Amino acid sequence: MGISAQVTGVITDESNGEALIGASVFVKGTNTGTISDIDGSFSINAVSSDVLVISFVGYEDVEVPVGNQTNISVSLSQGVLVDEVVVTGYTSQRKRDITSAVSVVDTKDLNLVPGASVGQKLAGKAAGVTISTSGTPGDGTAIRIRGFNSLTNNDPLFVIDGVPTRDNFLNSINPNDIESIQVLKDAASASVYGARASNGVIVITTKKGKAGKTKVTLDSYYGVQNAVNRPDIITSSSQFREYVQAATLATGGEVPALYQGSSFPEYYNGDPSQPYAPGTIGVPGSGNLLMRPNQQGTDWWDEVIGSAPITEHNLNISGGSDNATFNISGNYFNQEGTILSTFFERYTLRANSSFKAGKFTFGENISVSRINQLGQRSGNQSEQNIITNVIRSQPTTPVFDEGGNFAGPKAPGMGLGNNPLKGIEDDKDDVGNFNRLFGNVYGAVELIEGLEVKSSLGFDYGNGFTQNATFPNFEAREPNQFTFNYSENWNTNFQWTWTNTANYSRVIDDIHDFKALVGYEASKSNGRNIGGGLVDYFVFGVDSRYINTGLADPSSRSVGSGGFQRSFNSVFAKLDYVYDDFIILSGTVRNDGASEFGSNNRRGTFPAGSIGVRLTKFLESDAIEDFKVRYSFGINGNNAIRSDNAFAIFGGGTGSSFYDISGTNNSLATGFALQARGNADGKWEELKQHNFGIDLSLLNGKFGVVFDVFSKETQDLLFTAAEPGTAGSANPAARNIATMKNTGFDARLTWRDQLTSDLGIDLGLNIGSYKNEITRVSDSQTQFFTNNGSRIGTTTINRIGDALGSFYGLEQDGIFASQAEVDAHASQPGAAVGRIRFTDLNNDGAIDDNDRTILGSFHPSLTTGLNVGLTYKDFDLSAFVFGSFGNEIFNFNRLFTDFSQFEANVRTEVLENAWSPQNLDSDIPAPDYGGRGFNSRPSSYYVEDASYVRLENIQVGYRINNIGGSEYSARLYVQGQNLFTATGYTGLDPAMSIFGVGDTSAGLDLGNYPSNKSVIFGFNLSF
């Protein structure tokens, strides 16, 4: 046996001599092991006959006989990356054995991007995954994997440390805590999650402690943000007067008094001979509002949009022994918005630990967070939000009146744009607070060699508070608010998930590798909310924000509450088999039951299988390190509908179902009415997917290619189709009515090499493409429209043979250049010289709804993400460039910026380059003040190519090792985000968010909060 002795050593990178932190050192054939610390050193007990196995992800393993050595220094060379182990669902497997479509995200690249959530950081990091978010601090993210599969919900399932959640905000999870991310893109990889996996699965594993010396890291940065773009709208009052005069003349109207002549009157509202209303009166603006036109012009963008700081501080402590490890972190993140007063602030704490006692292992992963947040009024995509009012407001309107109150467009011809700065001031205290406790506790035991039984209890508890105060708007052109009102809402939700699994693995004769998994999982979630409000507060401030009838009109009190409950249970099994590292087989089946469905279709079964063949066995080539072809097929489900969809819901109230049956006029009898229809026969959406792929590794792993082609079809799509008017006002139930398919490909190309002893390179290119098509609507329908509340009519359609949410309207055929063209054209309402000429598609001599056609869609034809990494001695450079091509946007803002709907402000180009008899080649119609020119029908004029290429991130860093001869090391860096965008889109931002707007209404730009560009300085300190 020999005498055990301590063996020490240092592990370094062969190419540059740098210490490798966290390399594994094990005594071969045993569980005795440790990891290297901050300077690459390790210490382990071994006997002379032992062999040490030293490994590090991305490097070749090295085996060193101990012999008489007490000090061993080892240099590792970069090797094939496909040997790394990844988590793919209730278990893990070697990456080289995966036969389905799985993208492994490099978390090093992920955390180069500043942001509140992992969703915001994922853009371009995984092939086939598209990300959509806005510049709103802490905003949610619409993540779409290989296109769109559903009419109701296309969000993927997230699994964090084994706990499933449908959280498309993900801003309560500290991204710095993440160790690995796997995106399960096809049915075979995701089928182990069954009914919730049709939109793909994102598996997140947080950092765990490692045996060895305690390691402390501190990461901190501070930066300044600005909007990526600003609208090209008129900011000069004299220029706007010039536009009004020209546009009014072009439409045959009368120039408003304010804009007649060559100068402005001294006042446009109020009586200067009377005392004006001071800004300190009880109800601001209720008196004599004395307003002067801004002679130079108000730049509303500069008034409400500005530079904003962003900062983050993250402390992590980890370590442990062979029998107990821990990882503890604390994080503070604060992002102020470029729109004044908007912000997102988060505090998080995490504790992950694991303990071993013989064959038993147990531990926990727990995260707690607190969020304070304020976004822009009315959110994104609204005529009433801040961005839209900035665009609409005329430069002639001043910010304040003579009394210090907020001013507004009180004179005829000044439009309906509300003072955006007043909106910000009114909303600045409507801060929301959100708390979350998320994690799991688990225990496992190895019953016999190769058989592990594990039980995990996951939990997700959250509560939130939101509030909304409304103030009088006497300064508005059309005041509609004359009192102080206040409402608030409290909500709480809880979900538990109990997962029990048994994993068995065995290798027979070194060529038959078996892995089997069986499991049972149950989950239940419930939530409640309660809200109330009062109208006409007699005194109002932050200190009086209470639902107390002593503060306001007691008869106005309104209170309501609601809730939900869901339950879910499943059984599943998975079998993997590898024959001689040559043929790889995998099969999965899962049976799920969900409370959203009636007893007839409550359960569903979802099978999948895959096969891979490693062709390297047949290839005699030193250049080919690994070459694998694979195919998979499977079925996934989707149950993302309202929790009580199977049941008819009745309710009532004084204004709907209560009735004075006795006729006394002072008593009401309680009554009930149908509020929501039920569908007891509803069933799972089913997605069937085929995937063919190749994995290729060349030149000792320096070059890598992963390429996949997929075809998937969703059947029995759930959709809440509108009922006929005779059915009453009850909300319809979701029914299985339609079919949709997506086809496409995605690929990842990598090159990682050490070019010289000082220079290293790491390149990664992700490419994705999909085509979406609706193949069936229902037995009686071939199409349906999306009601997105557009004031200009229907803008999107869902039709067989076309993509989900396609833009729909009239096709522009140039601009009428003469009266002769108008007379010769088909009958068109509002046709005139200088106006848009529409195409008579059906050649019936009239322009009407029958001439509408598909105008494009928001779906990109191709997305790309290029990651560039360079190292030179102690310097490093990283950059990320993202491109989206073929996507289009319905630029609804043009209703205001081009046609001055409701006398809105317009683009400078409309003033300078609109069509006129002297400018016949312009593609901008003649000036149209107040939307009088009949140009506001949905048409191809509003649809723009929004393809773009953006430098999303660039960072330069410098590393200082062994500061002052100590174990301290530091890295300093400077970083730029979204510094450059190349696009032809005329709106604020081609990277427009579709989060929260509904996928059938996506691509409509109406006041979207633009992305931020920033410059950041930071450091990483470790010891």
Side-chain angles (χ1 to χ4, degrees):
M1 293 290 294
I3 300 175
S4 177
Q6 187 179 60
V7 178
T8 60
V10 177
I11 305 171
T12 58
D13 185 317
E14 183 182 63
S15 61
N16 55 26
E18 289 188 357
L20 292 181
I21 304 169
S24 297
V25 183
F26 276 89
V27 176
K28 189 174 182 178
T30 74
N31 292 323
T32 302
T34 186
I35 63 170
S36 58
D37 60 19
I38 190 68
D39 56 0
S41 61
F42 70 91
S43 175
I44 192 170
N45 289 326
V47 299
S48 59
S49 60
D50 285 338
V51 175
L52 299 185
V53 180
I54 301 171
S55 61
F56 191 71
V57 174
Y59 291 77
E60 298 282 0
D61 291 355
V62 172
E63 295 188 4
V64 182
V66 175
N68 296 322
Q69 302 179 86
T70 58
N71 186 273
I72 298 174
S73 294
V74 177
S75 295
L76 301 184
S77 60
Q78 294 182 12
V80 183
L81 293 178
V82 293
D83 281 332
E84 64 181 297
V85 175
V86 297
V87 178
T88 55
Y90 301 104
T91 185
S92 59
Q93 63 186 127
R94 293 191 308 169
K95 188 177 178 182
R96 66 184 281 113
D97 292 339
I98 294 175
T99 52
S100 51
V102 177
S103 286
V104 179
V105 178
D106 190 333
T107 54
K108 173 177 64 67
D109 292 335
L110 190 77
N111 285 322
L112 290 175
V113 180
S117 73
V118 62
Q120 294 176 352
K121 297 183 175 202
L122 268 176
K125 302 299 190 299
V129 180
T130 56
I131 305 295
S132 175
T133 189
S134 77
T136 304
D139 197 19
T141 307
I143 302 176
R144 301 295 178 257
I145 299 174
R146 291 182 163 181
F148 293 71
N149 308 309
S150 176
L151 299 173
T152 56
N153 188 300
N154 286 285
D155 297 326
L157 175 71
F158 292 90
V159 179
I160 304 174
D161 290 328
V163 182
T165 178
R166 287 192 180 274
D167 177 7
N168 50 12
F169 278 91
L170 280 180
N171 53 20
S172 63
I173 303 296
N174 174 15
N176 297 279
D177 287 337
I178 295 174
E179 179 73 28
S180 67
I181 299 177
Q182 281 72 242
V183 183
L184 314 185
K185 299 185 292 187
D186 68 341
S189 60
S191 62
V192 73
Y193 294 104
R196 296 169 290 181
S198 66
N199 298 321
V201 181
I202 297 179
V203 180
I204 296 175
T205 304
T206 60
K207 294 176 181 177
K208 308 297 189 291
K210 296 180 175 64
K213 295 177 59 177
T214 298
K215 180 181 178 181
V216 180
T217 61
L218 174 63
D219 305 305
S220 184
Y221 67 76
Y222 177 87
V224 178
Q225 312 162 98
N226 288 282
V228 293
N229 195 10
R230 60 171 294 149
D232 180 29
I233 52 178
I234 296 175
T235 58
S236 163
S237 293
S238 60
Q239 282 190 325
F240 190 75
R241 178 177 59 215
E242 179 185 343
Y243 164 76
V244 171
Q245 293 173 352
T248 307
L249 178 64
T251 54
E254 181 179 353
V255 177
L258 179 65
Y259 293 111
Q260 292 177 4
S262 57
S263 62
F264 293 102
E266 184 175 2
Y267 300 99
Y268 68 85
N269 188 75
D271 185 353
S273 66
Q274 300 297 321
Y276 53 77
T280 57
I281 63 174
V283 182
S286 61
N288 181 29
L289 299 176
L290 191 58
M291 300 180 186
R292 298 175 184 265
N294 189 329
Q295 302 283 345
Q296 287 72 41
T298 302
D299 188 332
W300 287 105
W301 183 265
D302 284 349
E303 292 292 338
V304 303
I305 310 291
S307 299
I310 179 173
T311 188
E312 183 174 19
H313 311 284
N314 191 80
L315 177 65
N316 183 272
I317 305 173
S318 65
S321 64
D322 292 341
N323 296 320
T325 61
F326 68 91
N327 187 91
I328 300 172
S329 71
N331 177 271
Y332 175 73
F333 179 89
N334 192 331
Q335 180 184 13
E336 295 187 20
T338 52
I339 296 179
L340 297 181
S341 296
T342 60
F343 74 96
F344 175 87
E345 182 182 43
R346 180 188 64 216
Y347 304 83
T348 64
L349 289 173
R350 172 172 288 278
N352 293 352
S353 62
S354 177
F355 305 91
K356 293 181 180 179
K359 293 186 175 183
F360 291 90
T361 302
F362 53 94
E364 92 291 326
N365 307 286
I366 297 177
S367 172
V368 60
S369 65
R370 164 76 173 189
I371 289 174
N372 305 309
Q373 185 176 21
L374 177 63
Q376 73 161 323
R377 167 179 288 195
S378 301
N380 287 324
Q381 313 301 58
S382 169
E383 283 191 18
Q384 304 306 320
N385 68 20
I386 300 300
I387 293 293
T388 304
N389 277 300
V390 165
I391 292 172
R392 294 170 60 189
S393 295
Q394 297 180 10
T396 319
T397 306
V399 177
F400 300 103
D401 68 8
E402 293 301 286
N405 303 294
F406 287 106
K410 298 295 286 186
M414 295 190 75
L416 299 180
N418 295 316
N419 187 323
L421 196 62
K422 180 180 185 295
I424 289 173
E425 179 65 22
D426 288 352
D427 296 346
K428 66 181 175 63
D429 294 315
D430 290 351
V431 178
N433 313 119
F434 310 93
N435 305 296
R436 189 179 190 186
L437 176 67
F438 184 93
N440 72 325
V441 293
Y442 63 89
V445 59
E446 186 179 13
L447 296 179
I448 60 174
E449 183 179 355
L451 176 61
E452 181 185 72
V453 176
K454 182 177 181 180
S455 184
S456 169
L457 181 62
F459 47 86
D460 185 359
Y461 171 77
N463 63 55
F465 167 73
T466 58
Q467 55 184 321
N468 179 55
T470 56
F471 292 75
N473 63 342
F474 291 101
E475 80 290 343
R477 174 76 175 279
E478 297 178 352
N480 58 5
Q481 181 68 42
F482 305 101
T483 58
F484 292 107
N485 305 335
Y486 176 71
S487 63
E488 63 183 39
N489 182 278
W490 296 81
N491 67 82
T492 181
N493 58 81
F494 177 71
Q495 173 180 303
W496 59 260
T497 302
W498 187 29
T499 306
N500 300 279
T501 59
N503 272 288
Y504 179 70
S505 60
R506 185 178 180 185
V507 179
I508 302 175
D509 297 332
D510 291 329
I511 61 172
H512 301 286
D513 189 345
F514 293 92
K515 289 185 175 65
L517 164 74
V518 294
Y520 171 81
E521 186 169 77
S523 177
K524 187 173 183 178
S525 59
N526 59 72
R528 291 189 62 87
N529 66 81
I530 185 170
L534 284 169
V535 173
D536 197 11
Y537 280 71
F538 66 86
V539 60
F540 197 71
V542 174
D543 294 335
S544 60
R545 290 191 172 204
Y546 297 99
I547 311 302
N548 186 322
T549 54
L551 299 172
D553 179 2
S555 66
S556 69
R557 181 175 60 185
S558 61
V559 178
S561 67
F564 71 90
Q565 180 172 298
R566 299 175 185 266
S567 58
F568 199 87
N569 68 73
S570 313
V571 291
F572 51 90
K574 188 174 190 292
L575 178 65
D576 298 316
Y577 170 67
V578 180
Y579 172 72
D580 198 21
D581 203 28
F582 171 41
I583 297 176
I584 309 166
L585 300 173
S586 181
T588 305
V589 63
R590 177 163 177 147
N591 180 268
D592 291 309
S595 61
E596 290 91 340
F597 301 105
S599 57
N600 296 338
N601 297 296
R602 184 158 292 162
R603 303 202 69 85
T605 300
F606 306 95
S610 62
I611 181 172
V613 179
R614 181 160 285 110
L615 300 180
T616 321
K617 290 275 187 179
F618 303 106
L619 300 175
E620 302 267 343
S621 174
D622 293 334
I624 301 177
E625 184 75 22
D626 188 55
F627 183 27
K628 179 178 62 183
V629 296
R630 46 188 168 76
Y631 168 78
S632 66
F633 171 77
I635 301 174
N636 299 143
N638 184 21
N639 66 322
I641 53 177
R642 77 170 202 254
S643 60
D644 52 11
N645 186 73
F647 310 101
I649 305 300
F650 289 83
T654 55
S656 57
S657 60
F658 292 8
Y659 190 72
D660 182 18
I661 297 177
S662 63
T664 61
N665 293 324
N666 60 14
S667 64
L668 289 175
T670 301
F672 296 93
L674 183 64
Q675 303 291 312
R677 298 182 181 278
N679 176 20
D681 294 323
K683 59 183 180 180
W684 308 88
E685 293 181 350
E686 283 194 351
L687 179 133
K688 298 179 179 179
Q689 183 170 181
H690 299 265
N691 189 93
F692 175 79
I694 63 170
D695 300 327
L696 180 64
S697 179
L698 303 172
L699 300 180
N700 199 31
K702 293 179 181 178
F703 295 90
V705 178
V706 179
F707 181 81
D708 286 274
V709 179
F710 63 88
S711 174
K712 55 183 182 177
E713 182 177 64
T714 312
Q715 299 175 346
D716 297 322
L717 283 167
L718 289 160
F719 186 64
T720 51
E723 303 277 2
T726 55
S729 60
N731 293 324
R735 300 184 182 278
N736 304 95
I737 65 170
T739 304
M740 184 189 304
K741 72 176 182 179
N742 293 268
T743 56
F745 71 90
D746 47 61
R748 177 168 174 78
L749 311 176
T750 57
W751 175 32
R752 182 182 184 185
D753 198 2
Q754 192 68 35
L755 302 179
T756 70
S757 60
D758 294 328
L759 180 62
I761 188 169
D762 189 352
L763 301 180
L765 175 64
N766 293 313
I767 303 172
S769 176
Y770 71 89
K771 180 182 179 183
N772 176 272
E773 180 183 351
I774 296 173
T775 56
R776 182 181 182 273
V777 174
S778 70
D779 292 337
S780 59
Q781 288 179 279
T782 60
Q783 64 186 37
F784 65 91
F785 297 103
T786 300
N787 181 14
N788 51 25
S790 165
R791 68 170 58 254
I792 64 175
T794 300
T795 60
T796 55
I797 190 173
N798 304 277
R799 187 169 72 181
I800 292 177
D802 295 303
L804 175 76
S806 294
F807 303 135
Y808 190 66
L810 298 173
E811 186 73 50
Q812 181 184 1
D813 183 26
I815 295 175
F816 289 115
S818 66
Q819 187 60 44
E821 287 188 12
V822 175
D823 296 338
H825 189 57
S827 173
Q828 176 179 319
V833 176
R835 303 298 169 211
I836 294 176
R837 181 176 62 235
F838 297 119
T839 302
D840 183 13
L841 287 180
N842 63 358
N843 295 314
D844 66 353
I847 303 298
D848 53 27
D849 285 348
N850 296 319
D851 294 302
R852 293 180 297 176
T853 186
I854 300 295
L855 305 175
S857 78
F858 65 92
H859 301 276
S861 56
L862 183 73
T863 58
T864 61
L866 174 64
N867 287 283
V868 179
L870 294 173
T871 58
Y872 180 75
K873 294 185 177 180
D874 292 325
F875 291 92
D876 62 84
L877 180 146
S878 62
F880 175 63
V881 181
F882 180 77
S884 180
F885 307 94
N887 53 299
E888 292 162 310
I889 289 177
F890 192 100
N891 189 354
F892 192 94
N893 293 314
R894 281 191 161 189
L895 180 65
F896 306 113
T897 62
D898 289 25
F899 303 131
S900 188
Q901 183 77 18
F902 303 126
E903 300 165 340
N905 196 1
V906 296
R907 292 188 294 145
T908 303
E909 190 177 6
V910 173
L911 172 65
E912 298 174 346
N913 194 37
W915 187 96
S916 70
Q918 295 76 38
N919 189 24
L920 298 177
D921 294 330
S922 176
D923 58 359
I924 302 174
D928 181 6
Y929 183 55
R932 302 185 182 96
F934 299 95
N935 291 311
S936 59
R937 299 189 65 180
S939 72
S940 57
Y941 184 79
Y942 290 88
V943 179
E944 298 187 50
D945 180 6
S947 301
Y948 70 96
V949 175
R950 172 169 287 172
L951 177 61
E952 292 204 350
N953 190 69
I954 185 169
Q955 186 181 106
V956 178
Y958 179 73
R959 182 175 298 279
I960 308 171
N961 294 312
N962 306 119
I963 300 174
S966 69
E967 295 184 353
Y968 287 74
S969 66
R971 178 176 174 270
L972 309 176
Y973 65 89
V974 60
Q975 178 174 2
Q977 185 181 22
N978 297 334
L979 296 183
F980 170 77
T981 303
T983 184
Y985 181 56
T986 63
L988 279 177
D989 189 2
M992 196 192 71
S993 175
I994 67 171
F995 175 77
V997 301
D999 292 327
T1000 57
S1001 299
L1004 186 72
D1005 189 355
L1006 179 58
N1008 194 65
Y1009 201 129
S1011 302
N1012 305 309
K1013 59 182 177 182
S1014 56
V1015 176
I1016 290 172
F1017 299 90
F1019 68 87
N1020 315 117
L1021 179 64
S1022 59
F1023 55 92

